[in-house]
Amino acid sequence: MDLTLLVDYGPALLRGFGVTILCWAAGCAIGLALGFALMLLGRVDFKPLRWIVRAYIEIIRGTPFLIQLFLLYSGGPVIGLRLEATTAGILGLGVYGSAYFAEIFRAGYQAVPKGQVEAALSLGMPYGGILRRVILPGMLVSTLPAIVNMMAILTKETVVLSIITVPELMYEMQTMAAETFATFETILGMALFYWLLVEAVSRLGRRAEARVTRFLTHSSNARA
Protein backbone atom coordinates (compact mmCIF):
# COMPACT_ATOMS: atom_id res chain seq x y z
CA MET A 1 0.00 0.00 0.00
CA ASP A 2 1.52 3.30 -1.13
CA LEU A 3 -0.38 6.25 0.32
CA THR A 4 2.09 8.68 -1.22
CA LEU A 5 0.11 8.22 -4.43
CA LEU A 6 -2.69 10.25 -2.87
CA VAL A 7 -0.17 13.05 -2.37
CA ASP A 8 1.28 12.76 -5.88
CA TYR A 9 -2.18 12.86 -7.44
CA GLY A 10 -3.41 15.38 -4.87
CA PRO A 11 -3.94 18.33 -7.28
CA ALA A 12 -5.96 16.21 -9.72
CA LEU A 13 -8.00 14.68 -6.90
CA LEU A 14 -8.72 18.09 -5.42
CA ARG A 15 -9.87 19.34 -8.83
CA GLY A 16 -12.13 16.35 -9.09
CA PHE A 17 -13.41 16.97 -5.58
CA GLY A 18 -14.17 20.56 -6.53
CA VAL A 19 -16.16 19.42 -9.59
CA THR A 20 -18.02 16.95 -7.37
CA ILE A 21 -19.01 19.70 -4.95
CA LEU A 22 -20.05 21.96 -7.85
CA CYS A 23 -22.25 19.27 -9.42
CA TRP A 24 -23.74 18.33 -6.07
CA ALA A 25 -24.48 21.90 -4.95
CA ALA A 26 -25.97 22.97 -8.30
CA GLY A 27 -27.92 19.72 -8.61
CA CYS A 28 -29.35 20.13 -5.10
CA ALA A 29 -30.36 23.73 -5.84
CA ILE A 30 -32.16 22.68 -9.03
CA GLY A 31 -33.75 19.71 -7.29
CA LEU A 32 -35.02 21.79 -4.38
CA ALA A 33 -36.48 24.50 -6.62
CA LEU A 34 -38.06 22.04 -9.04
CA GLY A 35 -39.31 19.82 -6.22
CA PHE A 36 -41.01 22.75 -4.49
CA ALA A 37 -42.61 23.80 -7.79
CA LEU A 38 -43.85 20.25 -8.35
CA MET A 39 -45.37 20.19 -4.88
CA LEU A 40 -47.27 23.41 -5.58
CA LEU A 41 -48.41 22.21 -9.02
CA GLY A 42 -49.56 18.96 -7.48
CA ARG A 43 -51.96 20.89 -5.27
CA VAL A 44 -53.59 22.81 -8.11
CA ASP A 45 -57.25 21.90 -8.50
CA PHE A 46 -56.82 20.64 -12.06
CA LYS A 47 -56.70 16.86 -12.36
CA PRO A 48 -54.75 16.53 -15.66
CA LEU A 49 -51.93 18.68 -14.23
CA ARG A 50 -51.90 16.71 -11.00
CA TRP A 51 -51.74 13.44 -12.98
CA ILE A 52 -48.79 14.75 -15.00
CA VAL A 53 -46.93 15.75 -11.82
CA ARG A 54 -47.69 12.39 -10.23
CA ALA A 55 -46.52 10.51 -13.34
CA TYR A 56 -43.27 12.52 -13.43
CA ILE A 57 -42.53 11.75 -9.78
CA GLU A 58 -43.29 8.05 -10.12
CA ILE A 59 -41.22 7.67 -13.31
CA ILE A 60 -38.20 9.46 -11.84
CA ARG A 61 -38.38 7.55 -8.57
CA GLY A 62 -39.02 4.25 -10.34
CA THR A 63 -36.04 4.30 -12.72
CA PRO A 64 -32.32 4.15 -11.85
CA PHE A 65 -30.36 7.39 -11.92
CA LEU A 66 -27.85 5.85 -14.33
CA ILE A 67 -30.56 5.24 -16.95
CA GLN A 68 -31.88 8.79 -16.55
CA LEU A 69 -28.36 10.15 -16.99
CA PHE A 70 -27.77 8.12 -20.16
CA LEU A 71 -31.12 9.25 -21.60
CA LEU A 72 -30.27 12.88 -20.89
CA TYR A 73 -26.67 12.83 -22.14
CA SER A 74 -26.72 10.23 -24.91
CA GLY A 75 -30.40 10.39 -25.86
CA GLY A 76 -30.68 14.17 -25.72
CA PRO A 77 -29.17 14.76 -29.20
CA VAL A 78 -32.01 12.71 -30.70
CA ILE A 79 -34.40 15.56 -29.79
CA GLY A 80 -31.84 18.31 -30.40
CA LEU A 81 -30.66 18.57 -26.78
CA ARG A 82 -26.87 18.58 -26.74
CA LEU A 83 -25.29 19.16 -23.34
CA GLU A 84 -21.76 19.24 -22.01
CA ALA A 85 -21.00 16.32 -19.71
CA THR A 86 -20.85 18.49 -16.59
CA THR A 87 -24.05 20.34 -17.51
CA ALA A 88 -25.83 17.05 -18.16
CA GLY A 89 -24.58 15.73 -14.82
CA ILE A 90 -25.85 18.76 -12.90
CA LEU A 91 -29.21 18.71 -14.66
CA GLY A 92 -29.48 14.95 -14.17
CA LEU A 93 -28.87 15.26 -10.43
CA GLY A 94 -31.44 18.07 -10.24
CA VAL A 95 -34.12 16.11 -12.08
CA TYR A 96 -33.43 12.96 -10.06
CA GLY A 97 -33.51 14.79 -6.74
CA SER A 98 -36.59 16.86 -7.62
CA ALA A 99 -38.95 13.88 -7.43
CA TYR A 100 -37.77 13.03 -3.92
CA PHE A 101 -37.75 16.64 -2.75
CA ALA A 102 -41.30 17.03 -4.11
CA GLU A 103 -42.47 14.15 -1.93
CA ILE A 104 -40.64 15.57 1.08
CA PHE A 105 -42.29 18.96 0.57
CA ARG A 106 -45.69 17.31 0.04
CA ALA A 107 -45.38 15.51 3.36
CA GLY A 108 -44.28 18.74 5.05
CA TYR A 109 -47.20 20.65 3.54
CA GLN A 110 -49.67 18.07 4.81
CA ALA A 111 -48.06 18.17 8.27
CA VAL A 112 -48.99 21.83 8.75
CA PRO A 113 -52.13 21.93 10.96
CA LYS A 114 -55.18 22.85 8.87
CA GLY A 115 -56.44 25.02 11.74
CA GLN A 116 -53.55 27.42 11.24
CA VAL A 117 -54.34 27.81 7.54
CA GLU A 118 -58.05 28.24 8.23
CA ALA A 119 -57.31 30.86 10.86
CA ALA A 120 -55.16 32.81 8.40
CA LEU A 121 -57.92 32.59 5.76
CA SER A 122 -60.48 33.87 8.25
CA LEU A 123 -58.29 36.91 8.82
CA GLY A 124 -58.37 37.66 5.09
CA MET A 125 -54.71 36.82 4.49
CA PRO A 126 -53.92 36.15 0.80
CA TYR A 127 -52.60 32.72 -0.20
CA GLY A 128 -49.12 34.12 -0.85
CA GLY A 129 -48.99 35.48 2.69
CA ILE A 130 -50.30 32.22 4.12
CA LEU A 131 -47.67 30.28 2.20
CA ARG A 132 -44.87 32.58 3.39
CA ARG A 133 -45.92 33.14 7.01
CA VAL A 134 -47.79 29.96 7.96
CA ILE A 135 -47.07 27.02 5.67
CA LEU A 136 -43.37 27.48 4.87
CA PRO A 137 -42.17 27.84 8.51
CA GLY A 138 -44.09 24.72 9.49
CA MET A 139 -42.83 22.84 6.47
CA LEU A 140 -39.24 23.83 7.13
CA VAL A 141 -39.23 22.41 10.64
CA SER A 142 -40.73 19.07 9.64
CA THR A 143 -38.87 18.57 6.36
CA LEU A 144 -35.35 19.83 7.10
CA PRO A 145 -34.01 16.49 8.44
CA ALA A 146 -35.34 14.65 5.36
CA ILE A 147 -33.96 17.35 3.04
CA VAL A 148 -30.51 17.06 4.61
CA ASN A 149 -30.66 13.27 4.33
CA MET A 150 -31.57 13.48 0.63
CA MET A 151 -28.77 15.95 0.00
CA ALA A 152 -26.35 13.51 1.63
CA ILE A 153 -27.65 10.76 -0.65
CA LEU A 154 -27.08 12.96 -3.70
CA THR A 155 -23.42 13.42 -2.73
CA LYS A 156 -22.93 9.69 -3.23
CA GLU A 157 -24.90 9.67 -6.48
CA THR A 158 -22.26 11.95 -8.00
CA VAL A 159 -20.01 8.91 -8.51
CA VAL A 160 -22.26 7.92 -11.42
CA LEU A 161 -21.33 11.11 -13.29
CA SER A 162 -17.91 9.69 -14.15
CA ILE A 163 -19.62 7.31 -16.60
CA ILE A 164 -20.47 10.25 -18.90
CA THR A 165 -16.90 11.62 -18.47
CA VAL A 166 -17.67 14.37 -15.95
CA PRO A 167 -14.19 15.09 -14.47
CA GLU A 168 -15.34 14.68 -10.87
CA LEU A 169 -13.68 12.77 -8.05
CA MET A 170 -14.56 9.26 -9.23
CA TYR A 171 -13.25 10.06 -12.72
CA GLU A 172 -9.92 11.30 -11.34
CA MET A 173 -9.69 8.29 -9.02
CA GLN A 174 -10.22 5.94 -11.95
CA THR A 175 -7.51 7.77 -13.87
CA MET A 176 -5.11 7.30 -10.94
CA ALA A 177 -5.95 3.61 -10.70
CA ALA A 178 -5.49 3.09 -14.46
CA GLU A 179 -2.09 4.78 -14.45
CA THR A 180 -0.69 3.22 -11.27
CA PHE A 181 -2.68 -0.03 -10.83
CA ALA A 182 -3.09 1.03 -7.19
CA THR A 183 -6.62 -0.28 -6.65
CA PHE A 184 -6.60 -0.34 -2.87
CA GLU A 185 -5.25 3.20 -2.52
CA THR A 186 -7.88 4.40 -4.99
CA ILE A 187 -10.75 2.82 -3.05
CA LEU A 188 -9.37 4.11 0.25
CA GLY A 189 -8.95 7.66 -1.06
CA MET A 190 -12.40 7.67 -2.60
CA ALA A 191 -14.00 6.43 0.61
CA LEU A 192 -12.17 9.12 2.61
CA PHE A 193 -13.20 11.97 0.31
CA TYR A 194 -16.87 10.95 0.19
CA TRP A 195 -17.00 10.33 3.93
CA LEU A 196 -15.67 13.84 4.54
CA LEU A 197 -18.25 15.32 2.16
CA VAL A 198 -21.21 13.44 3.66
CA GLU A 199 -20.03 14.26 7.18
CA ALA A 200 -19.76 17.95 6.30
CA VAL A 201 -23.30 17.95 4.84
CA SER A 202 -24.66 16.19 7.93
CA ARG A 203 -23.00 18.61 10.35
CA LEU A 204 -24.16 21.65 8.39
CA GLY A 205 -27.66 20.18 8.31
CA ARG A 206 -27.73 19.72 12.08
CA ARG A 207 -26.58 23.30 12.58
CA ALA A 208 -29.25 24.53 10.16
CA GLU A 209 -31.93 22.56 12.04
CA ALA A 210 -30.86 24.08 15.35
CA ARG A 211 -30.81 27.62 13.95
CA VAL A 212 -34.19 27.28 12.27
CA THR A 213 -35.73 25.91 15.45
CA ARG A 214 -34.26 28.76 17.53
CA PHE A 215 -35.40 31.36 14.99
CA LEU A 216 -38.95 30.05 14.82
CA THR A 217 -39.17 29.73 18.59
CA HIS A 218 -37.93 33.31 19.01
CA SER A 219 -40.38 34.55 16.38
CA SER A 220 -43.29 32.77 18.08
CA ASN A 221 -42.35 34.22 21.46
CA ALA A 222 -42.03 37.70 19.95
CA ARG A 223 -45.51 37.48 18.39
CA ALA A 224 -46.96 36.20 21.68
Side-chain angles (χ1 to χ4, degrees), residues 49 52 204:
L49 179 59
I52 292 172
L204 289 173

Side-chain angles (χ1 to χ4, degrees), residues 3-127:
L3 295 181
T4 59
L5 289 174
L6 298 178
V7 178
D8 296 337
Y9 281 82
L13 298 181
L14 288 176
R15 284 196 304 271
F17 193 51
V19 174
T20 294
I21 293 175
L22 171 65
C23 292
W24 166 77
C28 284
I30 293 172
L32 285 166
L34 186 54
F36 187 73
L38 288 169
M39 183 276 294
L40 293 178
L41 291 174
R43 302 197 65 82
V44 174
D45 190 18
F46 183 59
K47 283 188 177 180
L49 179 59
R50 288 160 59 183
W51 290 339
I52 292 172
V53 171
R54 191 73 249 162
Y56 170 90
I57 292 172
E58 293 302 325
I59 290 171
I60 296 299
R61 293 200 306 166
T63 54
F65 176 53
L66 179 59
I67 293 176
Q68 298 171 23
L69 197 60
F70 273 138
L71 286 174
L72 183 63
Y73 183 65
S74 301
V78 176
I79 59 173
L81 181 64
R82 291 177 173 82
L83 300 173
E84 296 281 341
T86 302
T87 304
I90 290 172
L91 185 58
L93 280 173
V95 170
Y96 177 73
S98 67
Y100 294 90
F101 286 128
E103 288 296 277
I104 292 171
F105 288 134
R106 182 181 64 83
Y109 189 101
Q110 293 177 343
V112 177
K114 291 183 178 179
Q116 294 182 6
V117 178
E118 292 171 355
L121 286 171
S122 67
L123 293 173
M125 187 179 294
Y127 182 74

